Amino acid sequence: MNTLKLTVTALVLCVFFSTATYSQIASKEVDVLVENAMKKFEVAGLAVAIVKDGKIIYKKGFGIRSIETKEPVNEFTNFQIASNSKAFTTAALSILEEEGKLKWEDKGKKYIPEFKIKTQILKKL
């Protein structure tokens, strides 16, 4: 599966669902939107979860995991999204920073006390 197509589809869906329009449409309409996006971007399979107020209000797998095995996508399917997880993490951290829940200048240890980095490695850089 083309990673770029998967990434674009995921970003389109994230933008759509982040606009809070989900509360205005039914699950069947979400299904149609996802299926149309899959066709447009030629994606074999993907999973969607919508979280509102910290609770999952919609979750569903679409399509197949593998063209060879034809196994369906479900809530346990692991997707290889490579470095795209860094972009999603940065977006999430940006939201937290904007909400005043963290500051870019703070050390990671402030929020994750068990976080350790070898100083010797840093000195070599």
Side-chain angles (χ1 to χ4, degrees), residues 86-104:
K86 295 172 191 161
F88 285 100
T89 302
T90 303
L93 289 170
S94 296
I95 292 168
L96 292 173
E97 197 273 339
E98 191 173 272
E99 292 175 350
K101 295 179 179 175
L102 64 80
K103 293 181 182 171
W104 289 120

Side-chain angles (χ1 to χ4, degrees), residues 35-104:
E35 289 165 4
N36 287 340
M38 286 178 65
K39 287 177 190 168
K40 182 174 181 94
F41 294 104
E42 300 175 357
V43 176
L46 59 90
V48 174
I50 301 174
V51 179
K52 181 177 181 185
D53 298 326
K55 294 181 182 175
I56 297 172
I57 60 171
Y58 176 93
K59 65 179 177 177
K60 187 172 181 180
F62 294 85
I64 56 175
R65 299 180 200 193
S66 164
I67 295 171
E68 289 86 31
T69 66
K70 307 286 188 216
E71 289 181 80
V73 172
N74 62 33
E75 67 271 22
F76 302 108
T77 302
N78 289 320
F79 292 94
Q80 296 181 10
I81 61 171
S83 292
N84 294 310
S85 58
K86 295 172 191 161
F88 285 100
T89 302
T90 303
L93 289 170
S94 296
I95 292 168
L96 292 173
E97 197 273 339
E98 191 173 272
E99 292 175 350
K101 295 179 179 175
L102 64 80
K103 293 181 182 171
W104 289 120

Side-chain angles (χ1 to χ4, degrees), residues 9-46:
T9 302
L11 290 173
V12 166
L13 293 172
C14 286
V15 169
F16 171 77
F17 293 129
S18 68
T19 61
T21 55
Y22 176 75
S23 62
Q24 301 170 15
I25 63 174
S27 294
K28 288 183 182 182
E29 291 174 297
V30 174
D31 294 349
V32 170
L33 288 168
V34 172
E35 289 165 4
N36 287 340
M38 286 178 65
K39 287 177 190 168
K40 182 174 181 94
F41 294 104
E42 300 175 357
V43 176
L46 59 90

